[in-house]
Amino acid sequence: MRPVVEQAVGRLGRRSAIVRVGNGNHALRQARGLSVAPLQDTQLESLVAGLRGAVGAQRWGVWFDGATDFHVAEDGLTVGVANLFISDYLKSHFADHLAAACLKVFGRALPVTYHVQPDLFQRRRAENLAGEAEAMERLGVAVPPAPKPRPPRPAPESRPLFTLENFVTGPCNQMGYAAAVSAATAPGRDFHPLFIHGGCGLGKTHLLQGILYALRRRGGLEAACLSAEQFTNQYIGAMKSGSLDVFRYRYRRMDVLAIDDIHFLSGKPGTQEEFLHTFNEFGGQGRLVILASDSAPREIEAIQDRLVSRFVAGLVVKLLPPDTDTRRRILEAKAVQMARPLPPDVLALVADRVKGSVRDLEGALTRLIAFSALLKQPVTPELARQSLADFAITAPRQTGLGEIEETASAFFGVTVTDIHSARKSQPISLARQVTMVLARELTALSFADIGRHMGGKNHTTVLAACKKWQTMVRSGAEVRWSDRTDRRTMTAEALLAHLRERIRR
Ligand code: ADP
Ligand code: MG
């Protein structure tokens, strides 16, 4: 399979026409001999001609000539490129030109996929080597034998482009979106840092990438986005290789630094210290740190207070799961991006049934489209029901805090009111603690939400219970208590596993 650099959501169908952007003046060398529908062939020619006109001869010569191939398939356009650098450049500089050309020729936007094409890669490499050899000969330097061309590196995992334009807003994420737009327009003007938190699959990474994309497209500012895990690994690598200066310079000179999944720094004091120093270099007009995390700043476990106090000094925004109407609009937008617009009744049905994160919605949509393609049936509410029936079985079941409290109190022979009270007798406090631990594990609720719900307890109480049980599980500690009939003993781990099992039933 050829390496795919970036894939618009959805698969391209049968390839139907190709135009190779050739050398020299003849930009439109058409790949003859293919069984192509004449109409599509001419459309593709018009597309390439239009694009060439819009881009201008000089840039065309540098970026397209001999370096790209255009293929049109039933439901999208693919662009073969000589290497990743070229595809990145095309995406960041000519995406709008390409979209406009598609609209003009095909009357609609087409999903565009880039992939490294081995023959283009080899040709570009051979040209570069020939150019180098010629220059060396002119200078009288001995020319080393040309190395064998290596096959292209496999491209990184494909993913759709995350932009602010394709982020759908609703009451659940309006504040996060507004903050992202401000960060992308005037970084550091309104706040520093920006801290975005929320459950899994709610759009944190999308917003971070969207800000970076907008900043890069506009140019003028240096911006970088990496995960806290990458930051950690690079820091450790730099320490080992004695190149800390290079590592520090790389990020501290940035205007905007975005770190995704910052909760990853939990329990890593060395990297936290390093990040604190990096952070301290930022602030003020044009300089901004953006962070994304699955918990609120004060709820990240095992993280220095000095970092937490810096995180909360700027703007902290929470992304919530989307409501029904937003879910419907997200589905509508994603379906259009996949070039598979869906009828309103199907959109409403899916939005009503799939209540989880945006990632869950994407999963349901992909499944529905695959169902329709495999069964060769149009997308109707009935087909949607079928595909979702299956989806509901595979999707993780949402567990409520109420369910957890009831299971824990029944197990310890106490009541839910006991759990909410301040009473400290042994089975009650055990039931309260395991409820907190399992609520954190099985629901998307924050420490503060759990505490609030459980009789107005402070988030630190919940945090302390979770930490205590984590240690108990790790050390194989036993829990002892007496219920109405007997004295009981179980390891912390077995006790939690038993309750989890009961909750799932
Ligand atoms: P997180 O980082 O919060 O776990 P992601 O940013 O990776 O979540 O989002 C998961 C998926 O959902 C991505 O494909 C993203 O494009 C999509 N997504 C999330 N929120 C939105 C939104 N508001 N509009 C459009 N797509 C969204
Ligand atoms: Mg993410």
Side-chain angles (χ1 to χ4, degrees):
M1 224 180 84
R2 64 175 183 237
V4 174
V5 176
E6 182 178 352
Q7 182 137 36
V9 190
R11 293 258 158 239
L12 295 172
R14 178 179 61 87
R15 176 183 297 180
S16 53
I18 299 178
V19 166
R20 166 151 301 181
V21 179
N23 297 320
N25 300 331
H26 234 26
L28 299 183
R29 188 149 51 79
Q30 193 183 320
R32 290 280 172 214
L34 284 168
S35 56
V36 294
L39 181 63
Q40 285 173 326
D41 215 2
T42 35
Q43 278 182 321
L44 191 59
E45 283 188 19
S46 312
L47 176 93
V48 174
L51 184 60
R52 184 173 196 233
V55 163
Q58 202 191 355
R59 290 193 295 177
W60 185 264
V62 176
W63 293 105
F64 292 83
D65 234 7
T68 49
D69 243 357
F70 287 80
H71 314 275
V72 75
E74 271 163 6
D75 53 0
L77 187 73
T78 61
V79 185
V81 290
N83 55 46
L84 292 174
F85 176 66
I86 293 180
S87 67
D88 280 344
Y89 198 90
L90 298 189
K91 278 185 244 168
S92 57
H93 288 77
F94 302 120
D96 292 346
H97 296 87
L98 186 55
C102 281
L103 202 61
K104 201 161 162 203
V105 176
F106 296 98
R108 66 189 173 103
L110 286 186
V112 181
T113 312
Y114 293 84
H115 64 89
V116 174
Q117 202 167 296
D119 59 328
L120 290 176
F121 172 85
Q122 306 284 14
R123 178 139 52 97
R124 198 21 88 123
R125 191 173 155 76
E127 279 167 14
N128 288 347
L129 288 173
E132 270 171 34
E134 203 187 315
M136 286 164 102
E137 250 160 17
R138 256 189 271 124
L139 293 167
V141 182
V143 182
K148 274 194 190 156
R150 266 181 293 162
R153 270 191 305 146
E157 204 185 318
S158 60
R159 60 157 40 177
L161 194 60
F162 295 156
T163 64
L164 295 181
E165 288 78 16
N166 64 24
F167 189 82
V168 178
T169 57
C172 55
N173 58 22
Q174 223 144 30
M175 190 61 201
Y177 176 75
V181 170
S182 160
T185 332
R189 186 191 59 194
D190 301 326
F191 44 76
H192 163 73
L194 168 60
F195 192 102
I196 302 173
H197 69 103
C200 194
L202 294 184
K204 302 180 295 294
T205 299
H206 188 133
L207 282 179
L208 252 57
Q209 300 276 353
I211 297 171
L212 261 280
Y213 180 75
L215 285 168
R216 288 201 180 130
R217 195 169 43 185
R218 210 186 43 186
L221 291 178
E222 290 262 36
C225 179
L226 70 163
S227 67
E229 184 173 4
Q230 285 169 323
F231 184 89
T232 307
N233 292 342
Q234 290 179 15
Y235 168 59
I236 294 169
M239 259 198 313
K240 283 190 183 148
S241 63
S243 56
L244 269 179
D245 286 353
V246 180
F247 169 78
R248 288 181 177 147
Y249 177 72
R250 186 184 308 150
Y251 295 118
R252 293 182 192 183
R253 79 190 166 86
M254 288 293 154
D255 297 300
V256 177
L257 179 63
I259 307 275
D260 203 353
D261 295 329
I262 194 74
H263 54 268
F264 182 83
L265 295 192
S266 159
K268 299 185 179 61
T271 317
Q272 286 177 21
E273 189 67 30
E274 178 63 27
F275 182 64
L276 184 73
H277 294 301
T278 308
F279 187 96
N280 287 344
E281 297 282 322
F282 285 79
Q285 279 291 337
R287 302 209 69 210
L288 172 69
V289 170
I290 308 168
L291 303 163
S293 161
D294 70 357
S295 359
R298 291 192 199 289
E299 292 172 7
I300 304 175
E301 291 170 32
I303 194 150
Q304 292 184 17
D305 284 344
R306 283 185 300 166
L307 271 178
V308 174
S309 62
R310 279 166 178 81
F311 294 169
V312 295
L315 178 63
V316 178
V317 287
K318 181 171 183 177
L319 301 184
L320 297 168
D323 55 277
T324 316
D325 181 57
T326 313
R327 291 202 296 272
R328 190 186 52 72
R329 287 181 298 107
I330 290 175
L331 283 166
E332 189 175 15
K334 299 272 169 194
V336 170
Q337 270 173 36
M338 293 164 87
R340 299 280 180 148
L342 297 183
D345 49 355
V346 171
L347 290 173
L349 187 133
V350 180
D352 188 48
R353 301 231 173 156
V354 182
K355 295 206 165 69
S357 70
V358 182
R359 199 169 282 142
D360 293 330
L361 284 176
E362 288 180 342
L365 184 63
T366 310
R367 201 176 168 81
L368 173 57
I369 289 171
F371 250 65
S372 137
L374 293 174
L375 299 176
K376 297 193 176 35
Q377 284 178 18
V379 177
T380 57
E382 184 43 42
L383 189 79
R385 257 180 229 113
Q386 266 182 41
S387 80
L388 291 183
D390 214 12
F391 185 78
I393 296 166
T394 51
R397 196 165 61 87
Q398 296 285 325
T399 306
L401 182 49
E403 216 175 325
I404 299 172
E405 284 179 327
E406 276 162 27
T407 311
S409 56
F411 180 79
F412 285 104
V414 302
T415 64
V416 173
T417 317
D418 289 336
I419 291 187
H420 287 191
S421 74
R423 291 171 56 197
K424 294 218 163 35
S425 76
Q426 199 202 33
I428 294 177
S429 99
L430 278 177
R432 185 180 301 128
Q433 286 172 20
V434 295
T435 299
M436 289 172 175
V437 173
L438 292 173
R440 185 65 190 155
E441 184 186 309
L442 302 175
T443 73
L445 297 173
S446 68
F447 291 110
D449 292 337
I450 297 169
R452 206 174 301 122
H453 179 93
M454 293 179 63
K457 310 221 162 16
N458 197 296
H459 78 270
T460 51
T461 314
V462 185
L463 187 61
C466 292
K467 279 187 183 162
K468 180 177 161 188
W469 279 73
Q470 223 173 32
T471 317
M472 282 163 52
V473 168
R474 260 194 230 128
S475 62
E478 284 194 331
V479 187
R480 291 166 212 278
W481 74 101
S482 312
D483 61 19
R484 285 183 206 101
T485 52
D486 211 352
R487 289 178 163 218
R488 309 275 305 265
T489 308
M490 258 174 125
T491 64
E493 190 174 9
L495 175 57
L496 290 177
H498 177 75
L499 290 173
R500 261 183 226 118
E501 190 54 35
R502 281 195 166 198
I503 292 164
R504 282 204 190 102
R505 255 185 247 145

